[in-house]
Amino acid sequence: ADLEPYGLLAPEAEITLGKGTNRLATVQFGHSPTNRPDDVYARILNHTNVVIVSKPWLDRLRAPVWDFADHRLVDVVVPSELARIEVKASDNFSLSQNTNGVWQISTPTPLPADEKLVLEMLNNLRKMEALKLEREVVADFSEFGLAEPSASFTLRSRGGTNKIHTQLSFGSPKSKAGEHVYVRRQDEDSVYSVAISARQRLPSYAYQLRNRQLWNFRHEHVNKLTITEGEASTELLRNDSGEWTCASKPLTADDLQSIPTALSVLGQLRVTRWTALGADKLEQYDILKREKSITLEIIRGEKTTIHKVQFGRPSPRGNPYAFATDPLDQEPVVFECPANTFSACEI
């Protein structure tokens, strides 16, 4: 057949399906028949006939290569196969996983890590997708702020050399609006862009991955309880019989029942979200202004420990911001206290 009238002498598109080195089939697409703009001519090379097919077949083949690419930037991550995570951001820190699968913040200060937060970080890395391939081959990464990245995340596999599994580096914002940021993989010369919100879901400081279990004690260990709000203060003490008493007012049966419940909740205080690091942040979250606090005197054996939690304004999620005595003696950290824990303490 004369292929030129069908636009098949120099096809507009061609797709070949193969297996190994064997070509199974090749389909060529030509132009549209007269008065039929939604259709195109096509033929299979190992046949002589020409057929008409719906034009979307051709339109799909004309899509840019980017439409067919996997936009995820991180290869499949099996957390148990990782030995180390290195982060360079506002903080430079690293995490290591021991043979029992327990994660710990290794540097700059050894601290227990929160497994759920570490897995959440890995999951956010795994789900991160490039919005656009900005440039396929880049010689000078400084144009994108990637010669000296604003942040990088390196995942190292278990094994003798702890080889790099994946490394993502983040550069400068793509525009003044700051909605997108440049990013690259360590094993590619390409630059992509991702939503800045995807980067913000990743930690920038070591404290953001700390174990969120702050305290662990039973209500029977608490000997004294002081509740302060502004200038008002209420002090509760156990008597020799182990019953709670209050010098300023008699305690009702409901009080005596709710106190052990509140103390049990406080004894298992688990941070909802780490918010900010530094004593200077307490005022920012109204923790000093509100002057609401609970102080606990805990006696275990011959050792007496004082724990104190101070509350601030509510977070956008409805949890009060708080600051508490840190059993690990770290720099003060503001956190979101679970709303149910705060409610239980309204004695």
Side-chain angles (χ1 to χ4, degrees):
D2 183 3
L3 299 176
E4 188 171 0
Y6 308 102
L8 290 166
L9 189 62
E12 296 193 21
E14 181 179 286
I15 181 171
T16 298
L17 308 178
K19 183 176 182 181
T21 58
N22 297 324
R23 187 179 68 181
L24 303 179
T26 298
V27 182
Q28 294 179 331
F29 296 85
H31 56 58
S32 298
T34 305
N35 300 324
R36 296 182 63 172
D38 296 330
D39 299 324
V40 293
Y41 292 112
R43 71 162 183 158
I44 297 177
L45 280 189
N46 54 346
H47 293 280
T48 59
N49 57 312
V50 173
V51 299
I52 292 175
V53 298
S54 179
K55 194 173 183 179
W57 285 103
L58 176 58
D59 293 337
R60 292 189 189 105
L61 292 182
R62 283 173 167 166
V65 174
W66 178 246
D67 288 2
F68 297 94
D70 185 349
H71 295 178
R72 290 172 296 183
L73 291 169
V74 175
D75 298 332
V76 174
V77 179
V78 179
S80 61
E81 295 178 359
L82 296 178
R84 189 175 175 85
I85 301 171
E86 299 164 1
V87 179
K88 294 182 179 180
S90 301
D91 236 356
N92 290 344
F93 63 95
S94 63
L95 301 100
S96 57
Q97 181 178 205
N98 66 20
T99 54
N100 295 322
V102 177
W103 285 98
Q104 171 149 334
I105 299 170
S106 306
T107 59
T109 303
L111 292 171
D114 191 292
E115 181 184 6
K116 288 186 177 180
L117 292 179
V118 175
L119 294 179
E120 182 180 293
M121 173 184 65
L122 293 174
N123 192 44
N124 285 333
L125 280 168
R126 182 186 62 81
K127 293 191 301 182
M128 184 178 292
E129 292 193 357
L131 301 177
K132 183 180 179 182
L133 173 61
E134 297 291 340
R135 192 175 299 172
E136 188 169 357
V137 179
V138 177
D140 182 7
F141 288 97
S142 60
E143 177 184 348
F144 303 94
L146 286 162
E148 296 182 8
S150 59
S152 68
F153 294 79
T154 304
L155 312 182
R156 293 188 180 273
S157 302
R158 291 189 186 275
T161 59
N162 291 153
K163 67 176 182 179
I164 293 178
H165 173 283
T166 303
Q167 183 181 85
L168 283 189
S169 297
F170 295 87
S172 55
K174 182 178 176 180
S175 63
K176 291 183 178 180
E179 296 179 356
H180 307 105
V181 62
Y182 295 120
V183 62
R184 67 167 295 209
R185 285 174 53 112
Q186 169 262 347
D187 57 348
E188 294 182 5
D189 293 326
S190 303
V191 170
Y192 306 89
S193 58
V194 297
I196 191 67
S197 58
R199 163 64 188 97
Q200 291 170 342
R201 281 192 285 270
L202 301 174
S204 293
Y205 298 90
Y207 78 87
Q208 292 175 293
L209 296 175
R210 264 191 60 176
N211 191 338
R212 287 177 291 174
Q213 187 72 47
L214 200 60
W215 301 329
N216 186 7
F217 58 82
R218 296 176 58 84
H219 71 88
E220 297 94 336
H221 296 148
V222 183
N223 186 60
K224 181 180 176 180
L225 171 63
T226 305
I227 303 170
T228 302
E229 188 158 7
E231 297 182 358
S233 181
T234 303
E235 186 176 275
L236 292 85
L237 287 167
R238 285 189 191 273
N239 60 21
D240 294 337
S241 302
E243 297 175 342
W244 285 102
T245 62
C246 181
S248 60
K249 65 175 184 178
L251 297 176
T252 66
D254 287 343
D255 290 335
L256 294 174
Q257 186 175 1
S258 64
I259 291 171
T261 301
L263 293 178
S264 295
V265 172
L266 274 173
Q268 299 297 316
L269 178 58
R270 183 172 175 81
V271 171
T272 299
R273 184 186 300 263
W274 298 110
T275 304
L277 179 70
D280 58 317
K281 302 299 191 301
L282 300 181
E283 187 172 355
Q284 181 179 339
Y285 294 92
D286 292 348
I287 291 173
L288 301 179
K289 178 181 177 182
R290 297 212 167 195
E291 299 181 325
K292 183 180 178 84
S293 66
I294 296 175
T295 305
L296 309 166
E297 181 183 277
I298 300 161
I299 299 177
R300 281 187 275 200
E302 297 181 357
K303 184 178 180 181
T304 300
T305 308
I306 303 297
H307 285 327
K308 183 177 181 179
V309 56
Q310 298 170 253
F311 298 101
R313 60 179 168 82
S315 74
R317 284 168 285 274
N319 301 310
Y321 290 116
F323 159 68
T325 306
D326 189 345
L328 300 178
D329 294 326
Q330 296 297 298
E331 189 175 356
V333 182
V334 177
F335 60 87
E336 288 187 36
C337 178
N340 59 345
T341 299
F342 180 77
S343 300
C345 296
E346 295 286 274
I347 302 173

